[in-house]
Amino acid sequence: MALSGTCPGHVVKDHSTPPPVADATTPDMSVTRAHTEPEKPLEKAPENSPAKQPEKKVIDAMFEAFAQGEEKIGPDGAEELCRQLEIEPDNVLALVLAWKFGAKENGYFTRDEFVNGMKSLGCSSISQLRKQLDSINVSLNSNLADMHQLYQFAFEYCKLQPEQKLIENTIAATMINLALDKRPGFKHVERWCAFLSAEGVPSVKAVNKDQWDCFFDFSRQVPDDLANWHSDDPWPCLFDEFVKFCNTH
């Protein structure tokens, strides 16, 4: 029944009973939900995000310092890079560096080669790069597939021109010794390099890709005493000359 003095449809509040007061011990469900809902995992910052920019700027700055205003790092910059890495240019780590940077030209690094190489190795400083090179070099002793890749790279890295098919004997000897010397499982390295460097001994003055590749297998398959060597084995003729050289020296 409507109370007198009220308009039809207007609700009159009854204040005879006070509204309930929230109990301080009653849990606040909004707070409870906030604590019970699982947190979302943090998303990895994309490469072009602000979080990645400082690292990129550092690597770019390193390239600029070694490039010395040129479009790519040249021999002087590469020598300075080796100096800061505390390695000699003729050290195997210099070859590992060029391999991992994917260098196309001996003694040079393009911007892409340097920047992408540093990123692929997860490095943004000279000290980090040196540690990575040391680690990679040690791992090559137990990773034949990677060792073979480095050896294949070394042939291409010796070239003065992309279309070059032959590597001069003395240069080949130096690079093969650099890549394989003291590696476990590789035999004949010292004698092979001495053979290639001996004046008037090899009938050829330069090594081709097939001869280069075959020495990798020869050094692992033929024992030091050449006991299982047979002249009719399918090795290049240069290896017949090598065996004769070993038997007379």
Side-chain angles (χ1 to χ4, degrees):
M1 184 173 67
L3 299 176
S4 60
T6 62
C7 298
H10 180 75
V11 179
V12 179
K13 295 182 179 180
D14 183 0
H15 294 288
S16 58
T17 304
V21 179
D23 188 344
T25 61
T26 302
D28 185 339
M29 296 308 294
S30 63
V31 175
T32 304
R33 285 194 298 272
H35 283 288
T36 56
E37 289 179 359
E39 295 183 0
K40 294 182 179 180
L42 295 176
E43 295 182 358
K44 184 180 179 180
E47 290 296 323
N48 59 352
S49 71
K52 289 288 182 179
Q53 292 307 308
E55 179 180 294
K56 183 179 186 303
K57 288 182 179 180
V58 168
I59 297 174
D60 283 336
M62 290 176 65
F63 172 83
E64 296 293 346
F66 291 120
Q68 301 172 349
E70 300 295 330
E71 292 184 355
K72 57 185 175 182
I73 298 173
D76 290 342
E79 185 175 344
E80 176 60 19
L81 174 58
C82 287
R83 188 191 69 78
Q84 292 190 25
L85 287 167
E86 298 182 350
I87 59 177
E88 295 296 326
D90 59 353
N91 186 286
V92 66
L93 293 183
L95 178 62
V96 173
L97 171 68
W99 169 49
K100 281 301 180 180
F101 276 17
K104 298 294 189 297
E105 188 177 3
N106 197 323
Y108 292 84
F109 296 111
T110 66
R111 180 183 291 274
D112 284 346
E113 288 170 353
F114 183 87
V115 172
N116 292 336
M118 291 288 286
K119 286 183 176 180
S120 68
L121 295 176
C123 300
S124 58
S125 70
I126 291 295
S127 60
Q128 289 175 344
L129 180 58
R130 176 56 196 263
K131 288 179 181 178
Q132 278 285 51
L133 294 177
D134 285 332
S135 177
I136 293 167
N137 188 48
V138 171
S139 72
L140 289 171
N141 293 331
S142 58
N143 191 325
L144 187 60
D146 280 355
M147 187 63 241
H148 190 248
Q149 285 185 22
L150 175 68
Y151 184 78
Q152 294 281 337
F153 169 83
F155 181 88
E156 300 300 324
Y157 198 55
C158 286
K159 292 181 178 181
L160 299 178
Q161 300 294 333
E163 65 276 8
Q164 187 175 334
K165 302 297 183 184
L166 301 172
I167 305 298
E168 186 181 329
N169 285 351
T170 54
I171 296 176
T174 299
M175 189 61 78
I176 290 172
N177 184 69
L178 186 64
L180 300 182
D181 186 39
K182 297 181 176 61
R183 298 285 185 190
F186 290 94
K187 301 170 287 292
H188 314 294
V189 176
E190 184 177 352
R191 288 191 292 180
W192 177 253
C193 294
F195 164 71
L196 291 178
S197 302
E199 186 175 352
V201 175
S203 61
V204 298
K205 302 300 180 184
V207 175
N208 62 33
K209 186 66 163 58
D210 181 55
Q211 294 162 342
W212 180 282
D213 290 345
C214 282
F215 180 71
F216 188 90
D217 296 326
F218 181 92
S219 67
R220 296 188 62 80
Q221 296 176 17
V222 179
D224 286 320
D225 60 3
L226 305 170
N228 64 353
W229 163 261
H230 300 286
S231 58
D232 56 350
D233 288 340
W235 300 105
C237 294
L238 185 62
F239 288 81
D240 293 331
E241 296 180 34
F242 171 64
V243 172
K244 291 180 182 178
F245 174 82
C246 291
N247 290 333
T248 56
H249 290 74

